[in-house]
Amino acid sequence: MRLKDRVAIVTGASRGIGRAIAAGLAREGAAVIVNNSNPSSDGLAEEVVRTICGAGGRAAPLRADVADLAEHHRLVAAAVTQFGRLDILVNNAGVEFREPFLRTRPETWDRTLAVNLKGPYFLSQKAAEAMMGSGGGKIINISTVHDHHPLRDRSAYAISKGGLMMLTKSLAFELAEHGILVNAISPGAILTDMNREALSVPENLNRCLGKIPLKRLGAADDIVGAAVFLASSESDYVTGATLYIDGGMLLY
Ligand code: NAP
């Protein structure tokens, strides 16, 4: 087990990529705080926890909106009080709204930046304080290939993730002296609730597959190996890096 006795928070872990990462970290021995934000997904977060605990792992659910800075203390405190420490933070929660630039509303911009960038920034600050008390830790940011490739009709999303890329590098720089390593994973097209409806349209699916040399959509489980690697001691000389997991999409 590569994460025995470690404690992790995974934001947005009720579904999709976050859910797969939470399960993957738990399989390697980590205790996991499984976060969601919407009361309607409490049942999903509880199911993730039940599955982990049913397989002999340790996990607890915690609803908190990462865009609400006042909630960050609760998230970190949940890890420390329930499992004794905090070693790993996965900033996975994210939102994407489809609006062409000329019709993007200020509310869309504010919510996107609050969840995808401001939340991870200040949650990392709180997490780093806790990690420093136990000798260091790992922060993993879930970005996207659109952190440096524009995405039509979702400019606020791409801009937020571009910011997340610089957040990763800036925090890696400043936190190195505290033994906290900060890296990112940038997925390509991974089939989840975020894109299921759009990709159910054959024309959209074929356009998307046309950009992927491996000729298939990714699954949430395709991201898990990289997350375990970046959370474990196998990556103890890796910081400020981004792993692109995209079936070769960026080769185009
Ligand atoms: P998803 O299936 O829509 O799941 C999103 C998760 O984030 C849910 O658990 C949701 O829980 C949670 N969440 C949303 N807003 C939150 C908030 N304010 N606070 C806490 N949790 C919140 O999305 P996904 O596809 O797995 O995406 C996960 C991450 O991967 C995102 O950062 C996304 O940008 C990134 N990504 C995805 C793809 C892709 O192709 N799917 C590609 C590149 C990058 P609630 O329902 O409770 O809010």
Side-chain angles (χ1 to χ4, degrees):
M1 284 205 177
R2 289 182 283 173
L3 300 174
K4 192 169 174 306
D5 299 330
R6 310 275 171 84
V7 178
I9 296 170
V10 182
T11 67
S14 54
R15 294 183 277 122
I17 293 171
R19 178 190 180 116
I21 291 175
L25 300 184
R27 272 196 302 276
E28 291 294 337
V32 185
I33 298 294
V34 174
N35 160 251
N36 65 303
S37 72
N38 197 322
S40 68
S41 67
D42 284 357
L44 293 175
E46 284 157 14
E47 187 189 311
V48 175
V49 168
R50 265 198 309 277
T51 306
I52 290 173
C53 296
R58 293 180 301 155
L62 188 82
R63 186 192 333 133
D65 180 346
V66 300
D68 181 352
L69 307 197
E71 298 272 82
H72 292 173
H73 174 72
R74 281 181 60 234
L75 267 165
V76 173
V80 175
T81 56
Q82 294 187 61
F83 299 119
R85 51 192 287 132
L86 177 63
D87 306 285
I88 302 155
L89 168 65
V90 183
N91 283 311
N92 165 78
V95 290
E96 182 196 76
F97 303 102
R98 182 180 284 266
E99 279 177 2
F101 168 66
L102 291 175
R103 293 205 299 274
T104 294
R105 296 164 301 145
E107 308 87 90
T108 302
W109 169 270
D110 286 346
R111 184 64 186 162
T112 305
L113 273 285
V115 176
N116 296 4
L117 188 57
K118 188 175 177 185
Y121 185 88
F122 286 102
L123 179 55
S124 297
Q125 193 180 64
K126 275 274 172 299
E129 287 165 10
M131 289 171 180
M132 281 161 61
S134 54
K138 308 269 183 153
I139 296 175
I140 303 166
N141 298 315
I142 307 302
S143 183
T144 165
V145 291
H146 299 291
D147 56 14
H148 75 282
H149 266 245
L151 182 60
R152 197 178 174 88
D153 295 342
R154 279 151 288 174
S155 55
Y157 176 77
I159 291 165
S160 72
K161 297 291 191 173
L164 192 60
M165 180 172 62
M166 186 50 70
L167 181 159
T168 301
K169 293 179 182 179
S170 303
L171 272 53
F173 205 17
E174 282 199 45
L175 293 175
E177 66 196 71
H178 300 292
I180 300 171
L181 281 57
V182 188
N183 294 289
I185 296 172
S186 286
I190 310 295
L191 188 62
T192 68
D193 291 348
M194 187 175 267
N195 51 25
R196 204 177 304 281
E197 200 180 316
L199 291 172
S200 67
V201 178
E203 190 190 335
N204 294 342
L205 176 63
N206 290 333
R207 195 172 40 237
C208 183
L209 290 175
K211 295 181 199 156
I212 305 173
L214 289 185
K215 294 291 170 220
R216 70 167 174 90
L217 297 175
D221 281 339
D222 285 318
I223 306 301
V224 174
V228 170
F229 168 69
L230 290 176
S232 76
S233 57
E234 289 167 18
S235 60
D236 277 354
Y237 202 55
V238 182
T239 196
T242 297
L243 294 179
Y244 287 89
I245 301 186
D246 63 353
M249 207 179 215
L250 287 182
L251 299 172
Y252 277 108

